[in-house]
């Protein structure tokens, strides 16, 4: 899940960059649209499967580390980047 959040962030940045390069690169607007569409699709999946309830406080929503799409979620984190804790530092959440 952390790598998917980072992918959404980077696809959004790619879209912004390609929009600025429309006059220099033919096809940049089409690539920007594709990047934006993919970011929206991944973000939608993350909203559906990447959020869960806190095991300690079920009224609280948290990010999960892994989800299988069948309702099973793994609540943990990893020391590598991107990790759940590093997402804010990497600029994925403003």
């Amino acid at each position: 899940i952390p790598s998917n959040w980072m992918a959404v962030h980077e696809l959004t940045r790619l879209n912004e960059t390609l929009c600025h390069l429309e006059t220099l690169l033919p096809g940049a607007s089409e690539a920007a649209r594709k990047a934006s569409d993919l970011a929206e699709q991944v973000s939608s999946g993350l909203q559906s499967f990447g959020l869960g309830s806190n095991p300690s406080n079920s009224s609280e929503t948290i990010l999960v580390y892994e989800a299988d799409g069948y309702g099973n979620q793994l609540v943990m984190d990893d020391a590598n980047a991107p990790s759940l804790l590093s997402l804010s530092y990497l600029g994925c959440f403003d």
Side-chain angles (χ1 to χ4, degrees), residues 17-32:
T17 301
L18 289 171
C19 285
H20 285 97
L21 296 175
E22 278 184 61
T23 56
L24 301 173
L25 293 172
S29 60
E30 176 65 17

Side-chain angles (χ1 to χ4, degrees), residues 3-57:
S3 58
N4 291 320
W5 284 111
M6 188 169 178
V8 168
H9 175 67
E10 294 303 324
L11 285 167
T12 303
R13 289 181 57 202
L14 177 62
N15 175 37
E16 293 168 1
T17 301
L18 289 171
C19 285
H20 285 97
L21 296 175
E22 278 184 61
T23 56
L24 301 173
L25 293 172
S29 60
E30 176 65 17
R33 185 191 60 77
K34 288 181 179 182
S36 177
D37 289 348
L38 183 56
E40 287 178 26
Q41 291 174 7
V42 175
S43 181
S44 175
L46 287 168
Q47 295 297 322
S48 298
F49 301 107
L51 302 174
S53 59
N54 186 342
S56 303
N57 180 2

Side-chain angles (χ1 to χ4, degrees), residues 47-93:
Q47 295 297 322
S48 298
F49 301 107
L51 302 174
S53 59
N54 186 342
S56 303
N57 180 2
S58 61
S59 66
E60 199 173 64
T61 301
I62 61 171
L63 300 173
V64 298
Y65 184 75
E66 286 182 357
D68 65 3
Y70 295 108
N72 300 310
Q73 297 174 327
L74 180 61
V75 179
M76 60 162 268
D77 202 7
D78 188 4
N80 296 317
S83 66
L84 294 172
L85 290 174
S86 70
L87 289 175
S88 183
Y89 175 75
L90 295 172
C92 298
F93 299 114

